[in-house]
Amino acid sequence: MSLWVDKYRPTSLGKLDFHKEQAAQLKNLVQCGDFPHLLVYGPSGAGKKTRIMCLLRELYGAGVEKLRIEHQTIVAPSKKKIEINTIASNYHLEVNPSDAGNQDRVVIQELIKTVAQSQQIQSSTQREFKVVLLTEVDRLTKDAQHALRRTMEKYMSTCRLILCSTSTSKVIGPIRSRCLAIRVALPSTEEVCSVLTSVCKKEGLLLPPELAKQISEKSGCNLRKALLMCEACRVQQYPFSADQDVPETDWEVYVRETANAIVSQQSPQRLLEVRARLYELLTHCIPPDIIMKGLVTELLNNCDGQLKAEVAHMAAFYEHRLQLGNKAIYHLEAFVAKFMAMYKKFMEDGLDGMMF
Amino acid sequence: MNRLSVGDKSAPSRLNRWVDPSFTDFPTESFSVPARKKGGQILNSKCEAKRSRKRKGDSCSDSLKSSLLKESTHRDQDEPWVDRYTPHSQAELAVHKKKIEEVENWLNVHTQSSQGGILLLTGPSGCGKTATVQVLCQERGLRVQEWTNPTNTDHYSNSQQDWRMMDFSSTSQLAQFQDFLLRANKYNCLRMMSDGGGSDRKLILVEDFPNQFYRQPGSLHDILRRFVKTSRCPLVFIVSDSLSGDSSSRLLFPREIQEELNLCSISFNPVAPTAMMKVLSRISAIEAGKSGGRRGVSDPAVLETLCSGSSGDIRSAINSLQFSSLTDSSLEQSLWKVKKDKAGTSVGKAASRTNRRKKSKQKEPEEEQAIGGKDASLFLFRALGKILHCKRESSEGSEPAKPEPVLPSHLSHHHRGSLQDDPELVVERSHMSGEFFNLYLHQNYLDFFSQLEDVERASEYLSDADLLTSDWTSRSTMGGYGSSVATRGLLHSNSQQVSVGFRPLHKPHWLQVHKKHRENSMAAQSLFRSFCLSPVSLQTHLLPYLAKLTNPMRNQAQIAFIQDVGQMSLKRGLTRLSLEALTDKELAQVESEEEEEKQEGGDQGAGDEALSASQPKPMSSQVEEEEVIIEEYNSD
């Protein structure tokens, strides 16, 4: 039994549930016979990968769905071995080069070269190019992105690239200009609701519209999350009730509790406890920037209007440091300390104002 | 073939005799010169020069006498004072009485019974480990049998005729060591004529380990296991600690082995300044007496600087004392010469001479520091304490004679007293990279702050410091600045230092957390590869929800992983992580913190067991506090 997310994933451009005109455009693009490099971007859970896989199916037919997971070893010029996992069919190769850390340049060059150098055998019946799908392009180092730009031009005849990222801001200009950019926006609440209802119908379940709405709002229109939530609801209680609690992930609850702890008391001792909680989150594989984001959203709920701007500013400042710096805990803790100090001062000022 | 170095002490001293020390050629030369002069004068003997010749002859014999005397003193000077003043009784030892007692007790227990035991003495170099053993053995008439690593160069030199012997003699050091232990344990020494009775009891001393043991400590352990079974006499190992991290005692004698072999371990502290002063002043007094007044008793101030410069290493202190007195005496001699040559010169010269002497006196402390100075080093515990406790010069003690530059009024809240220690120096002496030191500071600084505003500033400085060292290409240059910013930032931002008293310090938790984070991420990706998700959405969405779903997993590893990582304990009480306390003499475990962004796959094998012990346990409801209180480090 696979997850609903995987089970009911649309497999052709025609079956996509939302952004239908974009799907039609992509269909036209394929029918032209050739297509340029693509840069697909949009927030996570909007269906980028689904859309790409549909596109590939449109290009090559059902053969694309025969996937195999390969474990490749690439030897860098410095004789260092890099191991990386790829997902491939006969027609395409999917790889997440940022897995290789800062050796990603080598990975990109080597992989694309090997793919591009092997010609399709029967070019009369098939497309004369293969597709390399690179995910998380925004996490690539600048080095790798520049290497990518050269590689893109060199192997244009035998190979097309589809780049997939959450935002274009970290993709360098030359690459952006060489690709056709396709933005996949998040679905609207109604669209999420309709997807949820249709999935539940296929499962033979009855989903009350109130619950569907609640789920879609809680998931922030992230369809993957919404479907997972829905499935968790199913496990939690069936038949569904309209005012059912939608289960959240443990770490989200944990972050909220941490935020509450920060707001309820501001002292060095409390900071020490918060640090322990941050460590706990980190050991549970939650990336530091996500922790930061979660904390800020929770903290902002507790803030007054004036304070909000300041807190957001500090959060942006330390989030930037998180990206630049090396050890996340310094910056997370500095942010928490900063917030504590600001909040404490704000509360004391407020008390003074009340007294006089 | 078997290198039993019995009565080891006498051999090298005899060797010394054979080798002509380079300094002793001086007296023979001074002897020959006057002789030739004499001869020449005899040849040119004329009656009118009789008077003058007689005078000259007299002076010659004088110089001869003095040169002979000089020779004897030079002989003396060749012998290092460390050897000449080896302690012969417990009273002369500069080691703390309790330590001596400990060793003594052990010796008493293990020499009375016929069953031997193993003792391990550790401590920094020059703290009197060997001397203690020697003295105690001497006192109770034990014969010390010491292992020295054989040098097998002589086999190569006379290779031709006894090549057949070669295969016999070129056994490995390891085998020779084993052989040595066996024989030393089993057989008594041959009783020579001169030997007094009662020397049948003995003690085996190993200071010099065959190199192989450092590579494969297991081989040593095997030998020792065999030894313990049959041992009849006590075996003493002496291992010097080094501050630079690789503690060979921990490598050679890990804790399991110590327990298994019932090995008693006594660790020595550096020699206390008071004890060292006593020894140094005694030596300098004896030397002054020997030199017949030509050499004065060294200035206590000089001794003091020697003491502090040696950082508890008495051997180096005595050596530098000898060295300093050497230069002293030569200076004096040259001064004497000046006086003799220019006898009857004006008073002005004499005045200039005293000036010179004064000058040399003034310069002395720094010179001595340059001569005998050992790199002072701090144990991590103390280095951290120096930064965190933030000791400042007391303001009332200093005279307001020289007005310090005062900050303008709007900045006056930034005013702080001057620091007692230079933070950069402290970091340097801790033998750690600045980054690593910052981690230690970060782990511990919150305990020392009382004001939240101070904490806010301190944490900002730490964040700044991390930013400075983030880029690995420039890290080597920026590291110093980073640690400067962190230490000085912490010191300055702690505006209301309360005397917190003793606080336990802990090892940084970040390293483990970071490692765990990376391992878990890798594991997640390899275990759940079939979902084809990017790491972020995998870790933040899929795994936590998988924990809530009743989806049948494919294998056991996945189930275990989800239970471990996907779920978090949501108990109300804030869980405290169990921390690893930092013991006072802990050396920096330089777990080479590899460039995270450079090599993802490199793993540190060392920290594994420590990790599992101190990991947060998500399932247990209350992790009990495992904070070991460390007793204060006593320096004597």
Side-chain angles (χ1 to χ4, degrees):
Chain A
M1 187 182 103
S2 61
L3 295 171
W4 293 359
V5 185
D6 297 323
K7 208 167 166 185
Y8 301 109
R9 192 187 293 275
T11 50
S12 74
L13 283 174
K15 284 188 200 157
L16 286 173
D17 292 294
F18 46 88
H19 305 324
K20 294 206 184 208
E21 66 273 39
Q22 192 187 46
Q25 279 170 355
L26 287 175
K27 205 165 189 169
N28 288 338
L29 192 70
V30 171
Q31 268 154 12
C32 290
D34 199 359
F35 79 94
H37 298 307
L38 297 183
L39 171 59
V40 183
Y41 65 100
S44 89
K48 297 184 294 293
K49 275 285 277 303
T50 311
R51 209 155 281 251
I52 292 168
M53 289 314 288
C54 293
L55 182 73
L56 288 176
R57 192 187 147 94
E58 192 74 26
L59 266 177
Y60 297 108
V64 164
E65 280 156 18
K66 279 185 198 142
L67 294 174
R68 52 182 189 271
I69 294 169
E70 286 169 353
H71 193 75
Q72 296 208 11
T73 312
I74 295 164
V75 182
S78 59
K79 295 280 183 290
K80 196 187 170 211
K81 276 188 186 167
I82 307 159
E83 301 196 337
I84 198 156
N85 296 315
T86 61
I87 300 160
S89 73
N90 287 334
Y91 309 100
H92 88 290
L93 175 80
E94 181 188 336
V95 65
N96 184 354
S98 54
D99 286 351
N102 69 348
Q103 296 282 341
D104 49 3
R105 184 179 61 84
V106 186
V107 171
I108 283 187
Q109 285 177 328
E110 290 298 315
L111 279 182
I112 295 182
K113 209 192 282 173
T114 47
V115 171
Q117 276 169 352
S118 58
Q119 303 268 343
Q120 296 283 44
I121 298 166
Q122 280 180 302
S123 60
S124 55
T125 56
Q126 285 168 337
R127 313 270 167 182
E128 63 259 29
F129 55 84
K130 282 189 179 180
V131 169
V132 175
L133 170 56
L134 300 177
T135 52
E136 290 199 301
V137 182
D138 46 349
R139 285 183 186 245
L140 285 181
T141 58
K142 288 279 173 296
D143 236 19
Q145 295 198 20
H146 283 290
L148 191 58
R149 155 191 170 185
R150 178 84 193 90
T151 320
M152 275 167 118
E153 287 171 348
K154 206 169 162 189
Y155 299 110
M156 186 68 190
S157 59
T158 51
C159 163
R160 295 286 181 281
L161 291 180
I162 298 180
L163 312 178
C164 183
S165 78
T166 48
S167 100
T168 53
S169 61
K170 282 183 188 167
V171 181
I172 58 170
I175 289 183
R176 268 187 277 173
S177 83
R178 278 170 176 77
C179 297
L180 176 67
I182 298 170
R183 175 158 194 275
V184 183
L186 279 177
S188 65
T189 319
E190 291 75 42
E191 283 165 338
V192 175
C193 286
S194 73
V195 171
L196 289 178
T197 333
S198 70
V199 165
C200 282
K201 201 181 276 174
K202 281 178 205 163
E203 276 285 310
L205 307 170
L206 189 68
L207 182 70
E210 294 85 3
L211 185 62
K213 195 154 190 311
Q214 201 192 339
I215 289 175
S216 61
E217 272 164 6
K218 262 223 159 127
S219 67
C221 290
N222 180 335
L223 194 56
R224 181 189 300 122
K225 201 172 166 188
L227 280 168
L228 283 167
M229 275 179 168
C230 190
E231 200 173 346
C233 279
R234 160 80 178 78
V235 171
Q236 191 184 43
Q237 179 186 352
Y238 188 81
F240 293 123
S241 67
D243 53 349
Q244 187 178 351
D245 267 355
V246 178
E248 284 180 294
T249 53
D250 284 353
W251 68 267
E252 282 169 323
V253 179
Y254 201 79
V255 165
R256 185 173 321 127
E257 278 175 13
T258 311
N260 290 339
I262 293 171
V263 170
S264 65
Q265 188 194 331
Q266 293 89 34
S267 69
Q269 275 63 46
R270 183 48 65 92
L271 185 59
L272 203 60
E273 286 159 6
V274 170
R275 184 202 287 173
R277 295 183 71 97
L278 292 177
Y279 277 148
E280 181 90 19
L281 281 168
L282 282 173
T283 46
H284 283 80
C285 278
I286 311 298
D289 45 343
I290 304 256
I291 298 178
M292 181 73 116
K293 245 180 252 174
L295 269 183
V296 174
T297 17
E298 296 297 337
L299 287 175
L300 281 179
N301 290 340
N302 288 305
C303 286
D304 214 26
Q306 292 166 265
L307 212 53
K308 270 184 180 159
E310 258 180 280
V311 171
H313 173 244
M314 283 331 296
F317 178 77
Y318 283 107
E319 210 271 337
H320 184 225
R321 291 214 152 172
L322 215 56
Q323 307 292 335
L324 294 178
N326 208 350
K327 300 185 176 63
I329 189 66
Y330 287 133
H331 311 297
L332 286 173
E333 189 172 298
F335 169 68
V336 173
K338 199 93 195 170
F339 176 83
M340 278 184 171
M342 271 188 329
Y343 191 78
K344 193 179 172 199
K345 189 157 179 297
F346 181 78
M347 293 308 275
E348 278 168 1
D349 287 354
L351 274 182
D352 286 352
M354 293 226 295
M355 272 152 102
F356 301 111
Chain B
M1 130 225 97
N2 181 22
R3 265 140 233 286
L4 286 182
S5 50
V6 185
D8 197 39
K9 278 286 160 226
S10 70
S13 69
R14 204 142 35 101
L15 268 173
N16 274 348
R17 283 292 129 75
W18 293 346
V19 180
D20 230 11
S22 54
F23 292 118
T24 46
D25 56 351
F26 174 60
T28 54
E29 201 179 279
S30 70
F31 183 84
S32 67
V33 169
R36 210 177 51 207
K37 261 189 188 166
K38 214 174 183 176
Q41 271 156 7
I42 287 166
L43 275 173
N44 301 340
S45 67
K46 294 241 167 97
C47 10
E48 61 261 32
K50 217 178 226 173
R51 275 188 89 86
S52 66
R53 202 183 64 188
K54 200 178 180 189
R55 275 190 60 107
K56 280 227 164 155
D58 279 350
S59 75
C60 274
S61 66
D62 273 355
S63 73
L64 186 70
K65 224 183 265 168
S66 74
S67 75
L68 275 174
L69 193 117
K70 238 188 253 168
E71 190 185 9
S72 72
T73 58
H74 270 275
R75 269 275 144 72
D76 269 3
Q77 278 180 356
D78 290 335
E79 195 186 0
W81 288 3
V82 181
D83 289 346
R84 201 190 308 171
Y85 298 104
T86 25
H88 296 292
S89 66
Q90 283 192 32
E92 283 177 40
L93 279 173
V95 185
H96 196 259
K97 281 214 176 59
K98 278 191 185 147
K99 285 286 168 203
I100 302 179
E101 237 168 65
E102 261 183 75
V103 180
E104 201 174 8
N105 286 341
W106 186 88
L107 276 182
N108 283 341
V109 169
H110 290 268
T111 46
Q112 299 310 320
S113 64
S114 61
Q115 227 214 328
I118 306 178
L119 176 69
L120 172 67
L121 295 182
T122 56
S125 54
C127 66
K129 302 181 289 288
T130 315
T132 309
V133 173
Q134 298 280 12
V135 164
L136 290 176
C137 289
Q138 215 171 19
E139 277 182 359
R140 62 209 62 228
L142 283 174
R143 181 190 276 272
V144 176
Q145 218 163 335
E146 189 178 347
W147 161 261
T148 42
N149 276 341
T151 50
N152 37 14
T153 46
D154 46 354
H155 298 311
Y156 298 110
S157 57
N158 47 5
S159 55
Q160 276 300 316
Q161 71 267 31
D162 55 14
W163 63 272
R164 225 179 276 156
M165 297 290 281
M166 281 279 280
D167 56 350
F168 187 60
S169 57
S170 69
T171 46
S172 68
Q173 274 192 3
L174 211 90
Q176 287 183 36
F177 180 77
Q178 197 175 350
D179 211 31
F180 163 77
L181 271 192
L182 187 81
R183 280 165 195 267
N185 185 31
K186 232 178 193 172
Y187 307 118
N188 284 328
C189 292
L190 288 181
R191 190 154 299 188
M192 293 301 183
M193 303 280 273
S194 56
D195 268 346
S199 63
D200 50 338
R201 289 182 310 148
K202 63 186 174 181
L203 174 143
I204 311 172
L205 179 67
V206 179
E207 252 188 289
D208 203 12
F209 289 88
N211 287 333
Q212 186 64 16
F213 291 155
Y214 291 103
R215 255 169 271 154
Q216 298 172 342
S219 51
L220 172 66
H221 305 156
D222 290 341
I223 291 177
L224 288 184
R225 273 183 207 117
R226 229 167 299 153
F227 174 81
V228 165
K229 272 180 215 150
T230 60
S231 70
R232 295 200 310 184
C233 54
L235 172 63
V236 178
F237 288 102
I238 296 184
V239 183
S240 289
D241 293 341
S242 69
L243 274 159
S244 52
D246 55 329
S247 83
S248 39
S249 64
R250 217 181 301 166
L251 176 79
L252 290 172
F253 302 98
R255 200 162 291 161
E256 311 88 79
I257 291 296
Q258 291 196 13
E259 275 163 20
E260 185 191 329
L261 298 178
N262 200 7
L263 195 144
C264 175
S265 166
I266 298 175
S267 119
F268 279 56
N269 290 329
V271 178
T274 45
M276 193 182 303
M277 271 304 276
K278 224 187 277 170
V279 172
L280 287 186
S281 47
R282 182 172 62 87
I283 291 177
S284 80
I286 296 174
E287 277 298 319
K290 255 191 196 167
S291 65
R294 280 191 300 114
R295 186 184 297 142
V297 180
S298 295
D299 198 10
V302 176
L303 294 184
E304 201 105 14
T305 49
L306 282 178
C307 244
S308 61
S310 63
S311 64
D313 184 344
I314 196 160
R315 190 187 295 126
S316 95
I318 295 176
N319 277 336
S320 45
L321 175 67
Q322 183 179 12
F323 190 45
S324 69
S325 70
L326 248 178
T327 54
D328 231 348
S329 65
S330 70
L331 189 75
E332 227 155 15
Q333 268 176 6
S334 68
L335 282 173
W336 272 101
K337 225 178 233 168
V338 168
K339 199 185 174 187
K340 256 190 184 166
D341 286 354
K342 316 235 165 134
T345 41
S346 64
V347 191
K349 283 264 171 173
S352 80
R353 205 188 68 226
T354 51
N355 271 352
R356 254 171 69 191
R357 290 208 58 162
K358 226 179 237 169
K359 226 185 269 170
S360 73
K361 255 280 165 45
Q362 268 180 356
K363 258 166 66 185
E364 227 157 23
E366 291 119 60
E367 267 172 33
E368 238 69 76
Q369 195 65 30
I371 293 164
K374 203 179 165 186
D375 275 351
S377 50
L378 286 169
F379 285 114
L380 180 56
F381 185 75
R382 317 207 81 199
L384 285 174
K386 276 194 192 298
I387 298 293
L388 291 172
H389 281 287
C390 182
K391 294 253 172 63
R392 294 182 184 278
E393 305 281 353
S394 54
S395 53
E396 64 267 18
S398 64
E399 296 298 308
K402 40 175 183 177
E404 287 179 19
V406 179
L407 289 170
S409 56
H410 67 285
L411 292 175
S412 58
H413 61 282
H414 284 309
H415 178 77
R416 304 278 189 280
S418 56
L419 290 170
Q420 268 186 4
D421 307 283
D422 184 18
E424 282 81 22
L425 210 60
V426 170
V427 176
E428 193 186 311
R429 286 182 179 180
S430 70
H431 293 273
M432 267 205 287
S433 75
E435 255 182 291
F436 207 55
F437 194 77
N438 288 356
L439 272 179
Y440 272 92
L441 284 180
H442 173 256
Q443 179 69 45
N444 295 302
Y445 78 101
L446 283 177
D447 277 339
F448 294 83
F449 282 70
S450 56
Q451 297 296 312
L452 189 66
E453 288 71 27
D454 297 347
V455 171
E456 177 205 339
R457 293 189 52 222
S459 64
E460 198 179 334
Y461 280 120
L462 285 173
S463 160
D464 288 340
D466 180 51
L467 204 64
L468 283 177
T469 54
S470 62
D471 187 15
W472 61 272
T473 50
S474 60
R475 192 171 290 159
S476 51
T477 26
M478 298 306 285
Y481 297 106
S483 71
S484 242
V485 166
T487 48
R488 288 191 180 272
L490 277 188
L491 286 167
H492 186 262
S493 52
N494 201 352
S495 65
Q496 293 183 342
Q497 174 70 43
V498 281
S499 61
V500 286
F502 180 74
R503 288 283 162 92
L505 300 178
H506 303 286
K507 289 179 185 169
H509 206 78
W510 164 254
L511 293 177
Q512 295 158 18
V513 169
H514 181 66
K515 193 174 163 218
K516 186 90 183 159
H517 178 72
R518 222 171 47 195
E519 278 175 359
N520 280 347
S521 303
M522 303 260 273
Q525 252 170 297
S526 62
L527 283 175
F528 300 95
R529 200 184 295 158
S530 55
F531 287 99
C532 305
L533 282 175
S534 67
V536 174
S537 47
L538 180 71
Q539 287 155 23
T540 55
H541 296 145
L542 186 68
L543 289 184
Y545 276 113
L546 275 182
K548 293 194 181 295
L549 298 179
T550 49
N551 235 18
M553 285 300 130
R554 259 163 245 161
N555 58 38
Q556 201 62 37
Q558 286 183 338
I559 296 169
F561 188 79
I562 282 176
Q563 277 178 353
D564 186 32
V565 174
Q567 293 175 337
M568 298 187 80
S569 61
L570 295 172
K571 294 287 174 294
R572 281 309 303 168
L574 297 164
T575 49
R576 286 288 293 268
L577 301 177
S578 61
L579 296 167
E580 240 183 302
L582 179 69
T583 54
D584 53 354
K585 285 170 83 178
E586 191 78 45
L587 303 170
Q589 290 172 313
V590 188
E591 289 173 61
S592 60
E593 217 199 321
E594 72 269 64
E595 264 75 74
E596 289 94 22
E597 69 273 54
K598 211 174 171 193
Q599 340 171 299
E600 292 286 336
D603 62 342
Q604 316 134 307
D608 266 347
E609 53 204 307
L611 189 95
S612 59
S614 62
Q615 269 312 298
K617 299 168 194 76
M619 304 314 278
S620 67
S621 54
Q622 281 162 345
V623 181
E624 68 277 13
E625 286 187 30
E626 288 179 8
E627 294 185 352
V628 183
I629 306 296
I630 326 159
E631 61 277 35
E632 186 62 85
Y633 173 65
N634 52 340
S635 59
D636 53 355

